[in-house]
Amino acid sequence: MGTDAIALDEKNKAYFKKKKIRKYIFVSLMLIYPLLQFAIFWVYININTVLLSFQRYSFMTQQWKWIGFDNYRILFREFTQEYSVLRLAVRNSILFFPFNNFVLLPISVICAFILHKKVFMHSVFRVIFFFPSIISIVVLTMVFGFMFDSTFGPVNDILYALGLQNIIPANGWLGDKGTAFPMILLYCLWAGIGYNVVLLSGAIKRVPEEVIESAQLDGIGFWRELWTIVIPLIFPTITTLFVIGCTVVFTLFLQPMLLTTGGPNNQTMTIAYYIVQLTNGNQLEKAATMGIFFSVIGVPLIFGVKTFLEKITPQVEF
């Protein structure tokens, strides 16, 4: 009997050991793909980009050669030129910071609060606001371009009907130097407000009803309720959207690429789109230099903004 118990115990130990080994094998196999992807597409790519910014390809030797900080000197020299594409790209990209955070975000907060108040057809409006966010950006930019098309766009037809045809640019809304970039901003407002509204609406719904009801009994008005109660309680969500608005300065490129291809005369060029163009033009060392330079600027800036916003307002979201 004792022998049988010992044999059974050994058999159970062997079974659990095999089960444990199989578990480790399964977990290892599940982790191989994401770890390999991380190693190749993040670690290797970023290390190679850093190294590439200190090199230049020699067509004579057909090899990359180390040139130190020459690529960065060329970058600074280009920025100091009066009509450089880089200066236009930096200027346009910086303009997205106040636009996203002080135009788009406040409008989104107000719209989300109005919808929370259950205005007439609020459910329909919520779907309309979010609809552009679920459509492919390629399709969405095509629709936006068609609306302002010079030949069959409804916007021009409406302006003609109102007798305002004089304000229509001769080269079209997206082809004129004075209106192309404002049209990019208008598109970002039209397409971006819905995403913000959905996130902010979810945050507003988590505000305790008893807090709102108590304030309403004291006779609080619409704007005071928004400013003194709702905004402080949803400030973590606002902080997140504000930080995302900061990152757009360094990442936005699809909108100008699809709407204007950076034109006319590079008037709608952005930092990210300029890097994409350099990469497509096989100017890899210049693209890498720009990427590293703006990463060094952008990463601490964005983290600094996030830290500052978290400090000035307590994290009180429910």
Side-chain angles (χ1 to χ4, degrees):
M1 191 71 178
T3 305
D4 292 340
I6 293 172
L8 182 62
D9 184 60
E10 292 294 332
K11 186 177 181 180
N12 287 336
K13 285 182 179 180
Y15 170 77
F16 285 113
K17 186 177 180 180
K18 289 181 180 180
K19 187 176 180 181
K20 192 175 183 180
I21 292 173
R22 287 197 297 266
K23 179 181 177 181
Y24 285 139
I25 293 174
F26 174 77
V27 172
S28 300
L29 291 174
M30 293 297 293
L31 289 175
I32 284 175
Y33 177 73
L35 288 175
L36 189 62
Q37 187 179 44
F38 175 77
I40 295 174
F41 295 103
W42 197 92
V43 177
Y44 170 75
I45 291 295
N46 282 282
I47 292 175
N48 190 55
T49 300
V50 173
L51 297 176
L52 195 61
S53 68
F54 296 100
Q55 301 177 68
R56 184 180 300 155
Y57 187 74
S58 174
F59 290 96
M60 295 183 63
T61 61
Q62 301 291 308
Q63 291 180 344
W64 290 92
K65 62 178 183 178
W66 191 267
I67 59 171
F69 288 92
D70 282 359
N71 286 330
Y72 291 93
R73 295 189 187 97
I74 294 171
L75 182 69
F76 290 130
R77 194 179 305 127
E78 181 182 352
F79 185 77
T80 58
Q81 296 173 358
E82 186 175 356
Y83 298 103
S84 71
V85 179
L86 179 59
R87 287 184 66 172
L88 288 172
V90 171
R91 181 203 67 181
N92 293 337
S93 297
I94 290 175
L95 288 174
F96 277 100
F97 174 79
F99 173 78
N100 278 306
N101 294 322
F102 302 111
V103 177
L104 176 59
L105 185 54
I107 291 175
S108 301
V109 172
I110 294 172
C111 290
F113 186 61
I114 291 173
L115 292 176
H116 178 72
K117 288 296 185 181
K118 294 182 172 55
V119 297
F120 178 66
M121 295 180 66
H122 65 279
S123 298
V124 176
F125 285 122
R126 185 174 284 110
V127 173
I128 292 173
F129 274 128
F130 190 62
F131 200 61
S133 299
I134 61 177
I135 300 177
S136 167
I137 188 172
V138 177
V139 176
L140 206 60
T141 50
M142 288 177 60
V143 172
F144 185 83
F146 289 157
M147 287 194 299
F148 291 91
D149 191 271
S150 301
T151 56
F152 55 83
V155 173
N156 284 359
D157 292 339
I158 293 172
L159 292 175
Y160 271 105
L162 296 174
L164 300 175
Q165 62 271 15
N166 293 332
I167 69 173
I168 301 176
N171 297 322
W173 295 98
L174 293 170
D176 187 84
K177 291 174 63 175
T179 59
F181 189 71
M183 292 301 295
I184 300 287
L185 296 179
L186 179 62
Y187 169 83
C188 292
L189 178 65
W190 174 60
I193 192 172
Y195 177 79
N196 290 355
V197 165
V198 171
L199 293 181
L200 292 166
S201 296
I204 294 174
K205 283 183 179 179
R206 294 194 294 272
V207 175
E209 286 292 335
E210 55 269 20
V211 175
I212 302 296
E213 292 173 358
S214 175
Q216 289 174 345
L217 290 174
D218 292 334
I220 195 171
F222 177 89
W223 294 108
R224 190 178 176 189
E225 178 184 338
L226 173 63
W227 182 255
T228 61
I229 297 178
V230 173
I231 289 180
L233 292 178
I234 67 168
F235 204 78
T237 301
I238 294 176
T239 297
T240 301
L241 293 174
F242 194 97
V243 172
I244 292 173
C246 294
T247 62
V248 168
V249 173
F250 304 99
T251 59
L252 185 137
F253 74 95
L254 276 175
Q255 291 82 348
M257 182 179 75
L258 295 173
L259 287 171
T260 62
T261 61
N265 297 327
N266 299 311
Q267 293 299 311
T268 56
M269 187 66 66
T270 62
I271 293 172
Y273 186 35
Y274 191 30
I275 294 174
V276 170
Q277 283 196 336
L278 292 173
T279 304
N280 293 336
N282 208 29
Q283 300 183 56
L284 301 180
E285 66 277 8
K286 189 175 180 180
T289 305
M290 282 189 61
I292 296 301
F293 176 75
F294 287 109
S295 295
V296 170
I297 294 176
V299 171
L301 178 65
I302 291 168
F303 275 101
V305 170
K306 182 177 183 296
T307 302
F308 172 75
L309 291 175
E310 289 175 347
K311 283 185 177 180
I312 63 173
T313 301
Q315 302 295 295
V316 292
E317 189 172 358
F318 292 89

